[in-house]
Amino acid sequence: LPSSAGFVVGHAGLYQALAMFAVAYFIIGMTVLSVCAIATNGALDAGGAYYMISRALGPEFGGSIGIMFFLANVCGSALYVLGLVEAVVDSFGIPPGQKAGTGVHVLPQSYWYELLYGTVLLALCLLVCLVGASIYAKATFLIFLIVATVLGTILVSFFATRPLRVPIRLPHFNGSETDNGSFTGFSLDTLRDNLGGGYAVDYTTGQMMSFSSVFAVMFNGCTGIMAGSNMSGDLKRPSYSIPRGTISAVLFTYLVYNLLAFLMCATCNRILLQKDYGFLRDISIFPPLVTVGIYAATLSAAMSNLIGASRILYALARDDLFGRALALAKKTSASGNPVMAVILSWLVVQVVLFSGKLNTIAGVVTTFFLLVYATVNLACLALEWASAPNFRPTFRYFTWHTCLLGIAGCCVMMFLISPVSASASLGFLLLLLLALHYLSPSSTWGYISQALIFHQVRKYLLMLDVRKDHVKFWRPQMLLMVQNPRGSARLIDFVNDLKKSGLYVLGHVELQDLDMLPSDPLQPQQDSWLSLVDKLNVKAFVSLTLAPSVRHGVRQLLFTSGLGGMRPNTLVLGFYDDEAPQDGLARHPAFTSTREEVPLGFPPVRAPTSPKLLSAREYVGIVADALKMLRNVLLARQLESLDKAWELRRAASPPPTIHVWPVNLLRPDSARYADTCSLFLLQMACVLNMARAWRRARLRLFLCVEAGTMPHAQEEKLRQLLKDLRIQAQIQLVPWDAITRLHWQTCRGHPGGPAEEEEEEEGVVNFPTNTTQVSDEYVCAANKLVLEQSPAPAVRFLYLPRPPADTSLYPLYLHQLELLTRGLGPTVLVHGVSAVTSTQL
């Protein structure tokens, strides 16, 4: 501490030194507030800052910062060992230019000898750490007493020592040169000379010093504030000890730094401060005690970083974030000391010692520590912003402002110290984040991202005002009812293409009575449904409900699904027919390509002889209910036979097609192409064509014309409509005189026929009464007309007429729909009740 203060003051001067201390301790102070907040919010385990970050930000951030913090402590330990070697060689080394030592100067000086000394000192640290945390705690307490005594001696020496000249022997390329520094005692002239900066060459490295390089070295003397949190797994009451110990250490060291800086500037000239980092021995009233204090403090810092690195490595290994790579570090002694983690940390420190000079790695260490501090502040900021009820630390002297200031201070100083090191560190952190995101196993720690997303989504949902909806920004919001996912895998995927970035909900009705059950049967099924969504890679929510009947359940979901402005506006149902369902889930690539079984919790598909869960009348009733509730309706038939991959990847010529029939084929007497339902049908076909997987497909729009109705004028009118709606489609004229003739023959003789019916008004809720007037012969002819249009499309869109008002006609209505779509392949029947197209900007 004192020697590094002399280095800072000698190069930076008093004003800049005080500014450096203020900046450094501002960053540290903000970080300490965050550390104290997190430490008092729950039980802490081994790993210190890593444990706090990983449990707050999740395994990706935690593991990445854990590695960075481990490397920071490893490099910090090597830094202090090199500093101790420098001090030892300065005291006992043979002076440069002399072949033999005299007196106490007996240690040879060279790179390899200094590496040997560092190895011996590091081995001493290793022995203490291997014994365990208890002996380390006793050793550090003893060292604290020694350092406190030395510090008191130094402070007294500034007042008790008389002015003197201090000879300084500096290393030189051909031997050594001598200079003289001065201890002037308290002098106003000396203080005035030391107020400003005077950056010079560092005599140990030969490099020119600057504000950033001096700050980097100084900041390393402040990183010990995390030593207490690193020992969180060895403390009896970490949530009590860490805040008190850390805040006390920060306040004490800050006061000592400022006091020493003032005393040095007032008593020592700049030559002494810049060219003799061990000058405190020369001015002390008892020089050997200063030497012992420097050795003890540096050795304590080296041990602190080594044991901190080992605890971080042990916590990383125990969390299994890196799999077998760190399996060895899990092994502990009988007393619980992670001996293998200590040994591995020692090996890495030994490798770092090969770098040589102290200031060479100071910038890297500082960057790593600043990055860790920034992330600690980020973790506390995320917890504060998430506003989770369980984040209630007993330490309350922090706000999100302090966290944000800490992050900003760390980031700014990182790039001021070394833009290259900062950029490289952030790049390394990003690589670790990506690797852990894709390779690490899922954790049960809880993800702060989920809390933050919830917080933001709730806020934006409140801002989503349904009263400000406009047709220009309409998008489909689907509720797909699924009885059993095993028979609906391709339908689920198809509707995912239809949603166009809108809401997509998978609904399911369980036919049970909660009064007769001991607990909710839907909770165990939830995970299976969510796994299904993940496996099929669809962006959908899941909504399950209990009801006495399917119709009641669908009503519940239509009323309650969604939130605020995000509610389903379109109901999608599979078609009601007598085809036996097939287990498409077992054959789906998402499940056949892996060893995992089809998700449990889904029953086998219904056998062909088994009764259905709902009747034809109830099925049509669901459609009628949805239309009454002003929901659009889609009925999907034979979508399970749609092999999208084959359809869209077959030969490029001709491309796959989507056939669109925007006319009510079951009511040719009132057929129009520009009513609400027809426009909605066009919109849905266009939305499918806009999906990435369907962009190669071509829309074919069929215009049914009769003789004597000016078909070309109708075609031109329809083409202009498509142009206004910006829909690219090929129009094909289809004569259907023979088909409509069958209809008129059926209608002849029926009172209240279509000639007597009022023209259907667009947007008006009405109930057609001509269901009984359409013959099976006509419907089969219409089916044949649709089927004859070649080439066969990938999917067809047909107009879905409204169900009749008379509920007794529901079975006949469904029979007609079945005849109309029989043998057509993948077909979607569409009925729209809301305006969804716009020609405005």
Side-chain angles (χ1 to χ4, degrees):
L1 184 72
S3 58
S4 63
F7 168 82
V8 173
V9 170
H11 287 282
L14 180 61
Y15 291 153
Q16 292 187 37
L18 294 178
M20 286 184 186
F21 297 148
V23 170
Y25 276 87
F26 173 79
I27 294 172
I28 291 168
M30 298 301 102
T31 305
V32 165
L33 296 180
S34 298
V35 168
C36 293
I38 299 175
T40 59
N41 189 53
L44 278 181
D45 207 339
Y50 157 72
Y51 188 86
M52 299 178 192
I53 294 169
S54 62
R55 269 49 179 184
L57 299 182
E60 294 93 346
F61 250 109
S64 306
I65 290 298
I67 290 293
M68 302 289 282
F69 200 24
F70 168 75
L71 294 175
N73 277 276
V74 161
C75 293
S77 182
L79 187 74
Y80 288 119
V81 169
L82 289 173
L84 183 54
V85 169
E86 187 178 292
V88 170
V89 169
D90 189 49
S91 300
F92 303 104
I94 299 174
Q98 297 183 16
K99 295 183 178 180
T102 56
V104 294
H105 299 281
V106 294
L107 296 179
Q109 293 191 52
S110 71
Y111 170 80
W112 293 106
Y113 274 112
E114 290 179 7
L115 180 62
L116 175 63
Y117 306 150
T119 302
V120 172
L121 293 171
L122 184 59
L124 178 62
C125 296
L126 173 66
L127 290 176
V128 174
C129 294
L130 282 176
V131 173
S134 59
I135 189 68
Y136 165 77
K138 293 175 182 176
T140 51
F141 181 71
L142 178 62
I143 290 172
F144 169 74
L145 294 178
I146 295 172
V147 171
T149 304
V150 172
L151 187 59
T153 304
I154 290 172
L155 293 176
V156 171
S157 299
F158 280 112
F159 296 91
T161 303
R162 295 182 177 181
L164 56 87
R165 298 182 69 81
V166 181
I168 304 170
R169 185 177 289 107
L170 300 173
H172 202 260
F173 66 93
N174 59 355
S176 63
E177 60 182 27
T178 303
D179 203 344
N180 289 307
S182 298
F183 176 78
T184 62
F186 287 95
S187 167
L188 189 60
D189 291 336
T190 304
L191 177 62
R192 190 180 296 111
D193 291 340
N194 288 328
L195 290 177
Y199 296 101
V201 174
D202 176 19
Y203 72 88
T204 63
T205 62
Q207 297 177 353
M208 185 67 185
M209 292 290 98
S210 63
F211 182 91
S212 60
S213 58
V214 172
F215 182 85
V217 175
M218 183 275 298
F219 193 81
N220 280 288
C222 311
T223 55
I225 60 137
M226 299 297 275
S229 62
N230 289 343
M231 297 294 295
S232 56
D234 300 294
L235 298 172
K236 291 182 179 179
R237 297 171 60 193
S239 60
Y240 175 86
S241 305
I242 289 176
R244 286 162 178 78
T246 307
I247 292 174
S248 301
V250 169
L251 293 176
F252 178 75
T253 53
Y254 179 66
L255 292 174
V256 170
Y257 263 128
N258 283 275
L259 179 60
L260 286 174
F262 175 77
L263 293 176
M264 289 174 181
C265 283
T267 58
C268 304
N269 72 351
R270 196 175 291 275
I271 293 176
L272 182 63
L273 294 173
Q274 286 184 347
K275 298 185 178 181
D276 184 7
Y277 299 153
F279 72 95
L280 290 175
R281 285 191 304 271
D282 301 316
I283 67 170
S284 175
I285 56 176
F286 188 54
L289 190 59
V290 175
T291 302
V292 171
I294 292 174
Y295 293 171
T298 313
L299 189 65
S300 171
M303 281 193 299
S304 171
N305 282 95
L306 179 60
I307 201 166
S310 68
R311 294 315 189 260
I312 296 166
L313 186 63
Y314 171 65
L316 283 167
R318 198 173 60 175
D319 287 337
D320 279 328
L321 296 184
F322 295 89
R324 296 180 180 178
L326 297 180
L328 191 63
K330 292 182 184 179
K331 297 183 178 179
T332 62
S333 64
S335 61
N337 186 31
V339 289
M340 290 309 301
V342 172
I343 293 172
L344 290 173
S345 302
W346 165 75
L347 286 173
V348 180
V349 176
Q350 184 64 58
V351 171
V352 177
L353 285 180
F354 282 92
S355 63
K357 293 297 181 180
L358 181 149
N359 291 348
T360 305
I361 57 176
V364 177
V365 176
T366 302
T367 301
F368 278 11
F369 272 111
L370 282 170
L371 194 57
V372 173
Y373 291 171
T375 314
V376 170
N377 284 301
L378 177 63
C380 189
L381 177 67
L383 289 169
E384 177 70 7
W385 274 356
S387 302
N390 282 322
F391 182 62
R392 43 178 184 268
T394 55
F395 182 87
R396 295 301 304 167
Y397 301 102
F398 77 100
T399 66
W400 65 269
H401 303 87
T402 61
C403 302
L404 209 56
L405 287 172
I407 295 171
C410 291
C411 293
V412 169
M413 291 314 302
M414 265 199 310
F415 283 94
L416 282 179
I417 290 170
S418 175
V420 175
S421 295
S423 302
S425 300
L426 289 172
F428 182 52
L429 176 64
L430 183 61
L431 286 176
L432 286 173
L433 275 170
L434 292 174
L436 284 171
H437 178 73
Y438 290 107
L439 301 178
S440 69
S442 59
S443 72
T444 58
W445 306 336
Y447 292 82
I448 190 66
S449 58
Q450 295 297 302
L452 289 171
I453 290 169
F454 177 89
H455 186 72
Q456 292 300 109
V457 166
R458 181 193 64 83
K459 182 170 69 175
Y460 287 119
L461 272 175
L462 291 171
M463 296 170 63
L464 192 61
D465 191 344
V466 293
R467 295 168 295 183
K468 297 179 181 178
D469 281 349
H470 194 280
V471 66
K472 288 191 299 183
F473 307 113
W474 179 91
R475 65 182 73 237
Q477 306 202 75
M478 305 292 200
L479 171 61
L480 170 62
M481 297 306 304
V482 180
Q483 192 269 320
N484 189 340
R486 291 184 186 275
S488 308
R490 286 180 175 173
L491 176 58
I492 293 171
D493 182 62
F494 178 78
V495 178
N496 188 61
D497 291 334
L498 270 179
K499 71 179 187 307
K500 187 56 180 172
S501 304
L503 178 68
Y504 184 16
V505 180
L506 297 181
H508 173 72
V509 179
E510 193 75 17
L511 298 181
Q512 296 191 57
D513 186 358
L514 190 59
D515 289 338
M516 308 301 292
L517 299 170
S519 61
D520 182 6
L522 299 179
Q523 292 301 323
Q525 297 183 30
Q526 192 77 18
D527 287 344
S528 295
W529 283 87
L530 294 176
S531 298
L532 174 78
V533 169
D534 293 338
K535 282 290 184 182
L536 295 180
N537 195 27
V538 295
K539 297 176 181 178
F541 298 96
V542 174
S543 186
L544 312 180
T545 188
L546 282 177
S549 69
V550 176
R551 187 174 182 181
H552 281 86
V554 176
R555 282 179 184 170
Q556 289 176 20
L557 293 177
L558 285 172
F559 276 125
T560 62
S561 291
L563 208 61
M566 293 188 67
R567 292 186 179 277
N569 56 28
T570 304
L571 174 67
V572 187
L573 301 172
F575 196 77
Y576 190 94
D577 55 27
D578 294 325
E579 292 186 17
Q582 302 293 321
D583 192 347
L585 203 59
R587 302 190 305 271
H588 196 280
F591 298 95
T592 57
S593 61
T594 64
R595 296 181 180 178
E596 297 182 32
E597 299 178 356
V598 176
L600 301 176
F602 300 135
V605 293
R606 179 180 58 83
T609 57
S610 300
K612 297 181 180 180
L613 294 179
L614 75 165
S615 64
R617 187 184 300 271
E618 188 179 8
Y619 177 81
V620 180
I622 292 173
V623 176
D625 290 344
L627 296 178
K628 290 177 184 177
M629 298 164 67
L630 298 182
R631 303 295 201 278
N632 310 298
V633 176
L634 274 59
L635 304 184
R637 185 171 192 185
Q638 294 187 354
L639 262 297
E640 287 305 302
S641 66
L642 173 63
D643 190 345
K644 185 174 75 172
W646 181 84
E647 288 285 354
L648 301 178
R649 293 175 187 170
R650 62 183 180 178
S653 181
T657 57
I658 300 171
H659 286 190
V660 183
W661 294 79
V663 64
N664 187 350
L665 293 174
L666 294 185
R667 196 176 180 189
D669 51 295
S670 62
R672 290 191 300 175
Y673 288 90
D675 67 356
T676 300
C677 187
S678 297
L679 293 176
F680 181 80
L681 188 149
L682 278 172
Q683 181 82 323
M684 295 312 299
C686 182
V687 165
L688 180 66
N689 195 205
M690 293 169 70
R692 181 178 300 176
W694 290 87
R695 284 177 185 168
R696 281 190 57 247
R698 297 291 180 263
L699 290 181
R700 292 183 68 191
L701 188 62
F702 294 92
L703 177 62
C704 297
V705 295
E706 298 181 58
T709 57
M710 294 186 295
H712 294 293
Q714 293 183 38
E715 180 184 3
E716 187 59 34
K717 185 178 180 181
L718 182 58
R719 197 179 302 279
Q720 184 60 43
L721 175 65
L722 294 177
K723 182 179 179 181
D724 292 341
L725 297 177
R726 290 89 61 205
I727 296 176
Q728 295 183 356
Q730 174 192 352
I731 299 176
Q732 182 169 336
L733 299 181
V734 180
W736 69 333
D737 296 83
I739 312 299
T740 56
R741 192 177 302 118
L742 291 173
H743 175 67
W744 292 116
Q745 291 173 357
T746 304
C747 292
R748 194 171 299 146
H750 281 277
E756 300 176 17
E757 292 182 6
E758 293 184 3
E759 188 73 20
E760 178 184 349
E761 304 234 351
E762 187 175 334
V764 175
V765 177
N766 62 359
F767 296 88
T769 60
N770 69 330
T771 301
T772 57
Q773 299 171 0
V774 178
S775 67
D776 287 357
E777 183 183 8
Y778 164 77
V779 176
C780 290
N783 169 265
K784 184 179 179 181
L785 177 70
V786 174
L787 194 58
E788 285 175 347
Q789 308 307 315
S790 61
V795 65
R796 290 180 172 90
F797 283 85
L798 301 184
Y799 190 112
L800 173 67
R802 244 179 212 281
D806 187 352
T807 59
S808 65
L809 298 178
Y810 281 0
L812 178 58
Y813 168 80
L814 187 58
H815 171 69
Q816 291 173 354
L817 294 181
E818 194 279 328
L819 285 179
L820 180 63
T821 58
R822 182 179 293 176
L824 295 185
T827 304
V828 182
L829 291 160
V830 181
H831 191 99
V833 296
S834 55
V836 296
T837 56
S838 173
T839 58
Q840 301 176 5
L841 283 177

